[in-house]
Amino acid sequence: MLHNQSSLMQMQSAFDHFNEHRNTLKMTTGSAGLDSLIDSIQEGQFYLFYGNNRAILDGLVLQLLVNCVLPMKEKHGFESMAVYMNNVDYYQPDKSVVLSPEKIAIAAKCAGIEPKVVFKNLFVQMAYNQQHQLAVTKQISELIESRKQDIKLLVVNNLTKFFKESKNKNYAANTLKEALGTICRICAKNKIALICTGDANITSKGIIPRPIGGTFLKHSVNVIVHLKECSVSHPLAFKATLIKHQYTKTPKSVIVNARKTGRMVPSDRC
């Protein structure tokens, strides 16, 4: 045990840290403005995008899943497989909202890649309640361990859905903590980018609401971004505000214009 603890506390030179950062793979979000705000999506980092507009969050998720498959040099993708997990209501009548093949295909065509290529490089799993969420995260962990050379992105949509709907917040917090711990460990171990979407706490004080999920979620995440609609400048525009980043002063915001095709284009910084 002493040996393990001492190994965790080994010092690293600034030059070695610089070289590691310089060689880190980065993936575009699809928007130059959003890329500049968060320094793109980096392998091994944990990102939380949250807000109360599901259309914005779901659109971003589709874009990121497609971008992961894109070539590294020509399209600034990860050129790898992605894993998608969605927390959904088992009894919802419209199952197409789980992950729409049509929307994935549209996003793929806009990005200049054949939709079939995206489908072949995408693993999909759903969770229907808190206990199922735990089981699914363990299943995903096993999948990543078996195919760790092929996977560079894990996206968890509606991460805080069950926490938000639970009447027992202590139990919900512990369940979320256990599920997050499982996927954070496997992603950190294999340098996989972890991207989650969650809800905003509308009862919190301040201009920008805090994310739902408790302090554990807040401290676990490397980068936190709040998204909200911004219809003043563009009917499909949204405002992205950087709440937490390990290298950048916050808060800081950009306006991103989303076209009906799902493609995002940058606007002026605000």
Side-chain angles (χ1 to χ4, degrees), residues 2 14 28 35 89 96 111 139 146 162 169 175-176 203 214 251 255 258:
L2 290 176
T28 180
D35 284 346
D89 183 358
S96 65
Q139 184 182 22
S146 64
F162 305 130
K169 293 303 181 185
T175 305
L176 179 62
T203 63
I255 300 295

Side-chain angles (χ1 to χ4, degrees), residues 40-77:
S40 302
I41 301 296
Q42 301 182 25
E43 60 177 350
Q45 297 295 301
F46 183 1
Y47 299 82
L48 174 66
F49 294 92
Y50 76 100
N52 289 320
N53 189 315
R54 287 310 318 174
I56 293 175
L57 293 170
D58 291 344
L60 177 62
V61 163
L62 291 174
Q63 183 80 51
L64 294 171
L65 291 173
V66 170
N67 291 353
C68 180
V69 186
L70 295 177
M72 292 183 187
K73 294 183 178 180
E74 297 85 357
K75 299 286 187 175
H76 305 290

Side-chain angles (χ1 to χ4, degrees), residues 29 49-66 84-88 92 94 96-100 103-104 107 155-159 161 195-199 227 238 258 261-264:
T29 61
F49 294 92
Y50 76 100
N52 289 320
N53 189 315
R54 287 310 318 174
I56 293 175
L57 293 170
D58 291 344
L60 177 62
V61 163
L62 291 174
Q63 183 80 51
L64 294 171
L65 291 173
V66 170
Y84 173 72
M85 172 185 171
N86 195 8
N87 296 316
V88 298
Q92 64 184 10
D94 185 10
S96 65
V97 301
V98 172
L99 182 65
S100 171
K103 291 180 180 179
I104 282 284
V155 176
V156 181
N157 202 14
N158 293 304
L159 173 68
K161 175 180 175 59
I195 299 175
C196 297
T197 68
D199 300 293
L227 303 178
F238 64 88
T261 55
R263 191 176 178 184
M264 294 186 293

